[in-house]
Amino acid sequence: MSERDFIQRFMFEALDIRGALVRFDQGWQAMQKGRGYGAVATRLLGEVAVVTLLIGGQLKQPARLTVQVRGRGPVETLVVDCDQQLRLRGMASAPPDLADAPVPALLGEGHLVMTLQTDEAETPYQSLVPLEGDTVAAVFEHYLALSEQQPAALWLHADAECATGLFLQKLPDADRKDADGWNRLCHLAATVTPDELKTLAPEALLGRLFAEEAARDGIRVFAPAIPRHHCPRDEEKLRRLVLSLGREEVESILREQGEVHIHDDMCNHDYRFSALDIQLLFGEAPPAVH
């Protein structure tokens, strides 16, 4: 485990407001390796990765959460998924030289699609909402307000080195416990800087942001969870895929290209099958050598 990668959840019990800090460092760099993303795609994908970890970190049973931002702008797709063990993978589809612009201009009209597949369910649960908001944080705040019926606030930052975020959510008894508590915490959280999110230990950051709240009522801090990038090669899955194409289709590809080449966009792996590989795959003996 690495202290550079964590989800640190916390609770203001006197206010009925919960929160979390996310820092995805080593895993985030592994997720970008060999991709050649530009700064814009890196930032957007990193911010989506942070929110995916926040939501996926609440999975209590074997499951996979997939978060997909699909638009008609120059950034066509941002997709990240994770399982209940916080094993994360993801990709972006965007020009590497894309100039920065407001999120609506980058994404265009589109939807946020959340898919949850559990081991117990035959079909996945899926929700789809329009993209609404001028930032990735605003898009997900809108989604969370709709899906959980409780206000949420996000402060996100991502660059090539690190993807980070601070999350707060108002719970049902918050107004009864302190009518100004939610506004007060959001105002304090909004002072956080990207450098603080990237470098300060969770206890130090919470103490700096919420010093008066911590001194008066304390902040309950839970054990951290450790996310990691996980996208291993899966040769068996690709063999099944090639078999599913059928012998005729595979032979056509071999005649055109000399090999069967499949690129796994999600994990950035290449799989290549030669004519001999195909023969063996379909259960045909290679020609005898005399």
Side-chain angles (χ1 to χ4, degrees):
M1 296 193 306
S2 168
E3 293 181 357
R4 290 162 55 185
D5 299 74
F6 59 78
I7 302 174
Q8 179 67 72
R9 298 191 181 276
F10 56 89
M11 181 80 181
F12 297 91
E13 293 182 310
L15 301 176
D16 206 34
I17 293 171
R18 66 176 179 175
L21 288 164
V22 174
R23 186 177 300 159
F24 198 40
D25 184 317
Q26 290 178 313
W28 171 231
Q29 292 175 37
M31 194 165 140
Q32 300 172 77
K33 188 175 181 180
R35 296 287 195 172
Y37 292 141
V40 172
T42 296
R43 173 172 59 82
L44 296 179
L45 183 64
E47 291 178 352
V48 173
V50 168
V51 181
T52 304
L53 287 171
L54 282 167
I55 300 173
Q58 300 181 66
L59 296 174
K60 304 302 182 186
Q61 58 180 322
R64 181 167 292 278
L65 172 73
T66 302
V67 177
Q68 189 169 11
V69 178
R70 297 196 305 232
R72 297 187 179 91
V75 180
E76 296 177 359
T77 303
L78 301 164
V79 57
V80 181
D81 74 26
C82 74
D83 61 16
Q84 80 284 356
Q85 298 180 56
L86 294 177
R87 298 182 300 185
L88 199 78
R89 60 185 183 177
M91 59 159 287
S93 177
D97 58 349
L98 183 61
D100 204 359
V103 162
L106 294 170
L107 298 177
E109 291 186 12
H111 291 87
L112 171 62
V113 185
M114 308 282 284
T115 305
L116 179 63
Q117 178 67 68
T118 66
D119 288 357
E120 299 173 353
E122 291 185 7
T123 58
Y125 168 79
Q126 189 171 85
S127 62
L128 184 148
V129 297
L131 294 176
E132 293 190 18
D134 292 334
T135 63
V136 169
V139 167
F140 281 97
E141 287 170 354
H142 172 70
Y143 167 79
L144 290 167
L146 288 176
S147 65
E148 301 190 9
Q149 303 296 307
Q150 295 293 336
L154 286 159
W155 293 266
L156 305 172
H157 175 77
D159 53 30
E161 295 179 352
C162 190
T164 62
L166 169 61
F167 165 75
L168 292 177
Q169 187 169 42
K170 185 179 182 181
L171 298 177
D173 284 343
D175 287 339
R176 182 182 62 80
K177 290 190 172 184
D178 187 330
D180 186 52
W182 174 248
N183 289 334
R184 189 168 67 250
L185 288 193
C186 286
H187 177 75
L188 294 169
T191 66
V192 73
T193 67
D195 188 60
E196 288 171 337
L197 284 171
K198 290 170 64 174
T199 61
L200 290 183
E203 293 81 0
L205 181 54
L206 292 174
R208 192 206 73 75
L209 291 175
F210 309 113
E212 290 187 16
E213 306 293 337
R216 184 174 62 248
D217 300 312
I219 305 173
R220 184 180 179 188
V221 179
F222 300 92
I226 310 299
R228 60 190 177 97
H229 176 253
H230 181 74
C231 222
R233 293 180 65 86
D234 191 341
E235 307 286 349
E236 181 57 33
K237 179 181 178 181
L238 268 292
R239 284 193 286 268
R240 292 196 302 269
L241 175 60
V242 173
L243 285 169
S244 73
L245 296 175
R247 194 72 170 91
E248 185 176 342
E249 177 67 19
V250 172
E251 282 294 342
S252 174
I253 296 171
L254 283 174
R255 285 193 297 271
E256 287 184 16
Q257 303 179 15
E259 66 175 359
V260 176
H261 173 216
I262 300 173
H263 181 72
D264 178 355
D265 289 334
M266 192 68 162
C267 290
N268 202 30
H269 296 316
D270 285 293
Y271 298 85
R272 298 179 185 275
F273 298 85
S274 66
L276 178 58
D277 293 330
I278 296 301
Q279 280 186 304
L280 295 172
L281 186 59
F282 280 88
E284 299 173 8
V289 177
H290 299 286

